[in-house]
Amino acid sequence: MTEHTLFVSACGDESTVGPGNWEWVTGKTKIVKKHNHSSYLVGRKAAHAGKEPEPYAHGGAFPVWMEGAPVAPLAVIVVSGLKQQDDHQLIVDVLKEYIPKVMEGK
Protein backbone atom coordinates (compact mmCIF):
# COMPACT_ATOMS: atom_id res chain seq x y z
CA MET A 1 0.00 0.00 0.00
CA THR A 2 1.38 3.39 -0.97
CA GLU A 3 0.98 6.67 0.80
CA HIS A 4 -1.11 8.25 -1.98
CA THR A 5 -4.28 10.00 -0.86
CA LEU A 6 -7.07 9.70 -3.42
CA PHE A 7 -9.66 11.84 -1.65
CA VAL A 8 -9.78 13.84 1.54
CA SER A 9 -12.38 16.14 3.02
CA ALA A 10 -12.90 17.91 6.29
CA CYS A 11 -16.49 18.51 7.36
CA GLY A 12 -17.96 20.14 10.40
CA ASP A 13 -17.65 23.19 12.53
CA GLU A 14 -14.24 24.91 12.43
CA SER A 15 -14.07 24.77 16.21
CA THR A 16 -14.18 20.95 16.18
CA VAL A 17 -12.19 20.11 13.04
CA GLY A 18 -8.48 20.72 13.16
CA PRO A 19 -4.96 19.33 12.89
CA GLY A 20 -5.68 16.73 15.57
CA ASN A 21 -8.15 15.02 13.23
CA TRP A 22 -5.39 14.47 10.66
CA GLU A 23 -3.13 12.96 13.33
CA TRP A 24 -5.92 10.45 14.08
CA VAL A 25 -6.40 9.71 10.37
CA THR A 26 -2.69 8.92 10.01
CA GLY A 27 -2.59 6.86 13.21
CA LYS A 28 -5.69 4.81 12.37
CA THR A 29 -4.32 4.16 8.87
CA LYS A 30 -1.10 2.80 10.38
CA ILE A 31 -3.13 0.42 12.59
CA VAL A 32 -4.88 -1.02 9.51
CA LYS A 33 -1.56 -1.38 7.65
CA LYS A 34 0.02 -3.15 10.63
CA HIS A 35 -2.84 -5.57 11.37
CA ASN A 36 -4.75 -5.85 8.04
CA HIS A 37 -8.00 -5.35 9.97
CA SER A 38 -10.16 -2.38 10.88
CA SER A 39 -8.83 -0.14 13.64
CA TYR A 40 -12.06 -0.76 15.56
CA LEU A 41 -11.57 -4.55 15.51
CA VAL A 42 -7.95 -4.20 16.64
CA GLY A 43 -8.93 -1.97 19.55
CA ARG A 44 -11.93 -4.04 20.60
CA LYS A 45 -9.90 -7.28 20.53
CA ALA A 46 -7.26 -5.74 22.78
CA ALA A 47 -9.89 -4.42 25.20
CA HIS A 48 -11.68 -7.80 25.25
CA ALA A 49 -8.37 -9.47 26.11
CA GLY A 50 -7.91 -7.03 29.00
CA LYS A 51 -5.02 -5.27 27.28
CA GLU A 52 -4.48 -1.59 26.66
CA PRO A 53 -5.23 -0.91 22.96
CA GLU A 54 -2.45 0.54 20.84
CA PRO A 55 -2.63 4.28 20.27
CA TYR A 56 -5.11 5.00 17.45
CA ALA A 57 -6.67 1.50 17.65
CA HIS A 58 -10.10 3.13 17.73
CA GLY A 59 -12.97 2.96 15.26
CA GLY A 60 -12.74 4.74 11.96
CA ALA A 61 -10.22 3.02 9.66
CA PHE A 62 -11.39 0.22 7.41
CA PRO A 63 -9.28 -1.86 4.99
CA VAL A 64 -10.28 -2.13 1.33
CA TRP A 65 -9.40 -5.48 -0.18
CA MET A 66 -9.25 -6.46 -3.84
CA GLU A 67 -10.22 -9.90 -5.04
CA GLY A 68 -7.09 -11.82 -6.05
CA ALA A 69 -4.82 -9.69 -3.85
CA PRO A 70 -5.03 -11.34 -0.41
CA VAL A 71 -1.68 -10.21 1.02
CA ALA A 72 -2.60 -6.72 2.20
CA PRO A 73 -5.37 -4.16 1.80
CA LEU A 74 -5.35 -2.11 -1.38
CA ALA A 75 -6.46 1.02 0.48
CA VAL A 76 -7.88 2.32 3.74
CA ILE A 77 -11.08 4.33 4.27
CA VAL A 78 -10.80 6.58 7.31
CA VAL A 79 -13.31 8.64 9.29
CA SER A 80 -12.29 10.63 12.34
CA GLY A 81 -14.03 13.01 14.68
CA LEU A 82 -17.07 11.08 15.91
CA LYS A 83 -17.26 8.54 18.73
CA GLN A 84 -15.17 5.55 17.66
CA GLN A 85 -18.16 3.25 17.11
CA ASP A 86 -19.85 5.97 15.04
CA ASP A 87 -16.70 6.51 12.94
CA HIS A 88 -16.65 2.78 12.18
CA GLN A 89 -20.40 2.49 11.60
CA LEU A 90 -20.39 5.38 9.13
CA ILE A 91 -17.96 3.48 6.92
CA VAL A 92 -19.93 0.23 7.25
CA ASP A 93 -23.22 1.96 6.37
CA VAL A 94 -21.77 3.66 3.29
CA LEU A 95 -20.17 0.44 2.04
CA LYS A 96 -23.43 -1.50 2.57
CA GLU A 97 -25.16 1.01 0.34
CA TYR A 98 -22.37 1.42 -2.23
CA ILE A 99 -21.17 -2.15 -2.88
CA PRO A 100 -24.53 -3.48 -4.20
CA LYS A 101 -24.69 -0.55 -6.62
CA VAL A 102 -21.22 -1.34 -7.92
CA MET A 103 -22.02 -5.04 -8.23
CA GLU A 104 -25.15 -4.27 -10.31
CA GLY A 105 -22.90 -2.54 -12.83
CA LYS A 106 -20.75 -5.64 -13.37
Side-chain angles (χ1 to χ4, degrees):
M1 187 178 337
T2 67
E3 297 296 322
H4 298 291
T5 300
L6 298 179
F7 176 81
V8 65
S9 177
C11 304
D13 187 281
E14 290 180 29
S15 66
T16 60
V17 177
N21 292 97
W22 301 114
E23 183 178 328
W24 276 94
V25 166
T26 301
K28 290 176 184 184
T29 300
K30 288 179 180 179
I31 292 293
V32 172
K33 286 179 171 184
K34 180 178 178 181
H35 296 280
N36 290 337
H37 292 290
S38 74
S39 56
Y40 190 60
L41 176 66
V42 173
R44 295 296 80 216
K45 284 176 92 171
H48 184 70
K51 298 178 182 175
E52 183 71 27
E54 296 175 60
Y56 306 109
H58 298 275
F62 202 92
V64 177
W65 295 87
M66 186 171 84
E67 188 174 350
V71 176
L74 174 71
V76 180
I77 300 170
V78 186
V79 172
S80 183
L82 305 170
K83 294 178 182 176
Q84 68 166 328
Q85 185 173 354
D86 295 339
D87 280 347
H88 181 81
Q89 193 62 48
L90 179 60
I91 298 168
V92 171
D93 291 345
V94 169
L95 289 175
K96 283 171 76 174
E97 181 180 330
Y98 180 72
I99 290 172
K101 292 177 182 177
V102 171
M103 297 308 288
E104 288 175 6
K106 267 191 157 182

